[in-house]
Amino acid sequence: MKTQVAIIGAGPAGLLLSHLLDQQGVESVVLERASRPHVEGRLRAGVLEQGTVRLMRQVGVHDRLDREGLIHQGVKLAFNGRVERIDFVRQTNTPITVYGQTKVTADLIEARLARGGRIEFEAPVKAIKNYLEGRPRLVFDQQGQGRELICDFVAGCDGQHGQARRSIEGQGVQLFEKSTPFGWLGLLAEVPPVDKELIYANHPRGFALCSMRSPTRSRYYLQCPITDRVEQWSDAAFWDELRRRLPPAIAERVVTGPRLEMSIAPLRSSVVEPLRFGRLFLAGDAAHIVPPTGAKGLNLAASDAYYLSRALAAFYADRRTDLMDRYSQTCLRRVWGAIRFSWWYTQVLHKFDDDPFSQRLQSAELLYLTGSEAARTAFAENYVGLPFEPFE
Ligand code: APR
Ligand code: PHB
């Protein structure tokens, strides 16, 4: 099998890349380890920056997004028993769109296949060969048989535990990592959300987040020790703890119901530098993980896909190599911008220790954030998404 760009992974990064390349006349094949139902069933985050929405529109995959995406003009912050609001539209003229990553993925797969695109499911990549010199070759399995895909370039969009990340180990890679001793316990339920906007809560017992997937489906999160197991948490214990961490006026409005899903996600960051190794490019979670607090993971996957598609298209159109040469640098600037924001926001909202000094600092930080026009604007411009860099 042969193609121009071999894409490993049918997550948001790989799928969006395949659409963007197609639009610019570049051929690709996506190889995905898991089955289509598995990929479409994975529950992930749900906040789209305007830039991500623009990319979905650009590739013409926006019908359901326009119908079901919830436009939010701001978010709420609960702390010290009060609730404050930051209005994104007022501060930056830009809203966010609440739309599950599960739907983003399903929409991109459906449109790609409808347009004759090639996505091979249940086709795990076992090795990436010749990416430093010569013609790259992907060795993968399909229906118990070893197969090969020969290509000009490889896009490693296969997430944090994928083959791309494994392949580059020991090649002068720099790894930057930070983790916390806690995670997020998430619960999904078919109940109306407690508020029409997201509520981020700082509480002496730990952080809580009220989010949603639709007007009838809620997604809630609680900070928990990373050593906790889902089996330790009954639905009742989850709802009780959530209500304890919210201001009383909000807590009493929480509608509870049985879980559709419950899981624990770690809060950590990890960045690989550089993102390019000869003809292999890393994008999305394969390149970087951000803590979920700022909801940046999916949006960074989308901006990486955009930068990579532009760089590869410029090569095929004009044999330009300068955008590929700058790919790492261009992506990493936006990645570190998002990590800076996500870590700051994580530190302001979570319980790190019992030190009253830390608690006073958090309180001062939140009062300044919500009380100062300048701070609200700085928050809003990061939350709605830092701009993409223009290409010359
Ligand atoms: N061969 C083929 N596919 C693979 C392999 C492999 N060896 N290893 C992993 N994959 C697939 C996974 O099954 C998954 O479908 O790569 C895909 C990677 O997708 P994501 O994990 O969704 O990563 P990405 O597209 O970068 O999207 C990042 O997803 O994890 C969230 O919070 C994160 O929102 C962010 C977004
Ligand atoms: C989610 O709805 O899953 C979600 C929302 C906001 C975040 C993180 C996750 O910051």
Side-chain angles (χ1 to χ4, degrees):
M1 222 170 33
K2 278 200 182 115
T3 191
Q4 291 181 310
V5 180
I7 300 174
I8 317 176
L15 291 167
L16 198 51
L17 177 65
S18 71
H19 277 280
L20 288 163
L21 287 175
D22 182 38
Q23 254 191 347
Q24 297 167 92
V26 180
E27 183 194 283
S28 69
V29 172
V30 179
L31 298 179
E32 165 59 51
R33 175 175 58 191
S35 68
R36 185 174 173 184
H38 181 271
V39 171
E40 293 184 345
R42 270 189 314 228
L43 187 61
R44 296 278 177 79
V47 175
L48 307 191
E49 295 174 354
Q50 203 60 12
T52 306
V53 172
R54 216 178 303 124
L55 288 176
M56 293 289 282
R57 290 232 162 80
Q58 192 181 313
V59 298
V61 186
H62 55 95
D63 289 350
R64 183 156 71 137
L65 175 61
D66 289 342
R67 266 194 328 270
E68 297 178 17
L70 306 171
I71 310 281
H72 284 202
Q73 309 233 333
V75 285
K76 300 201 170 86
L77 293 163
F79 60 100
N80 300 353
R82 57 203 267 175
V83 183
E84 300 287 344
R85 176 168 188 270
I86 295 181
D87 189 322
F88 299 141
V89 175
R90 183 190 138 120
Q91 307 300 145
T92 66
N93 213 15
T94 311
I96 52 153
T97 303
V98 173
Y99 189 70
Q101 182 173 325
T102 309
K103 290 181 181 174
V104 171
T105 309
D107 296 350
L108 288 169
I109 291 174
E110 189 188 43
R112 194 72 203 105
L113 295 176
R115 293 171 193 174
R118 289 191 63 183
I119 307 174
E120 304 290 334
F121 291 98
E122 298 177 69
V125 171
K126 299 293 183 187
I128 310 172
K129 302 211 160 142
N130 296 352
Y131 60 87
L132 292 177
E133 53 201 30
R135 273 201 104 183
R137 225 161 16 97
L138 298 190
V139 180
F140 66 102
D141 276 352
Q142 204 166 33
Q143 287 159 347
Q145 292 209 322
R147 301 191 58 191
E148 282 196 353
L149 173 60
I150 298 169
C151 57
D152 300 333
F153 298 100
V154 181
C157 304
D158 49 349
Q160 51 178 321
H161 306 297
Q163 189 59 42
R165 182 104 172 216
R166 254 197 307 280
S167 300
I168 53 152
E169 266 159 32
Q171 292 198 32
V173 182
Q174 274 190 295
L175 187 60
F176 300 87
E177 286 190 296
K178 199 178 246 339
S179 48
T180 63
F182 44 81
W184 280 12
L185 173 69
L187 179 141
L188 182 76
E190 197 63 19
V191 292
V194 67
D195 194 90
K196 56 183 197 310
E197 293 182 333
L198 269 55
I199 303 175
Y200 289 88
N202 166 291
H203 190 273
R205 296 178 65 89
F207 167 75
L209 168 60
C210 309
S211 182
M212 65 191 74
R213 288 292 174 274
S214 75
T216 58
R217 189 171 279 200
S218 302
R219 179 74 169 154
Y220 290 104
Y221 295 99
L222 293 175
Q223 176 185 351
C224 68
I226 194 64
T227 47
D228 271 16
R229 295 282 150 256
V230 167
E231 303 76 56
Q232 289 166 243
W233 284 86
S234 65
D235 288 2
F238 184 96
W239 293 116
D240 285 348
E241 187 59 28
L242 177 69
R243 282 185 292 228
R244 268 190 222 122
R245 294 185 190 185
L246 297 173
I250 295 175
E252 68 188 27
R253 297 203 316 257
V254 171
V255 184
T256 65
R259 75 178 76 172
L260 296 174
E261 193 260 7
M262 193 188 257
S263 53
I264 296 177
L267 254 82
R268 64 182 200 92
S269 260
S270 136
V271 183
V272 169
E273 290 190 11
L275 303 181
R276 178 192 180 182
F277 301 84
R279 288 170 169 253
L280 167 64
F281 297 83
L282 304 190
D285 275 16
H288 40 72
I289 304 293
V290 285
T293 322
K296 295 292 171 217
L298 164 62
N299 296 294
L300 286 178
S303 53
D304 288 356
Y306 166 74
Y307 290 135
L308 185 52
S309 76
R310 294 290 303 258
L312 293 170
F315 173 79
Y316 285 109
D318 306 315
R319 296 286 139 181
R320 273 179 72 175
T321 53
D322 56 324
L323 296 186
M324 294 199 288
D325 294 341
R326 289 210 303 273
Y327 171 72
S328 254
Q329 190 191 325
T330 312
C331 280
L332 285 168
R333 224 178 350 246
R334 196 164 189 281
V335 166
W336 280 107
I339 291 185
R340 184 202 72 78
F341 173 68
S342 303
W343 273 101
W344 166 82
Y345 200 32
T346 300
Q347 277 168 3
V348 170
L349 290 173
H350 292 74
K351 179 177 178 166
F352 280 77
D353 50 43
D354 289 315
D355 183 357
F357 188 86
S358 321
Q359 288 164 11
R360 286 287 192 278
L361 265 187
Q362 284 189 334
S363 174
E365 188 83 53
L366 287 162
L367 282 168
Y368 178 66
L369 167 62
T370 52
S372 146
E373 182 76 17
R376 281 197 299 267
T377 304
F379 175 85
E381 74 179 1
N382 280 278
Y383 197 99
V384 304
L386 295 173
F388 289 13
E389 284 182 34
F391 280 104
E392 317 73 62

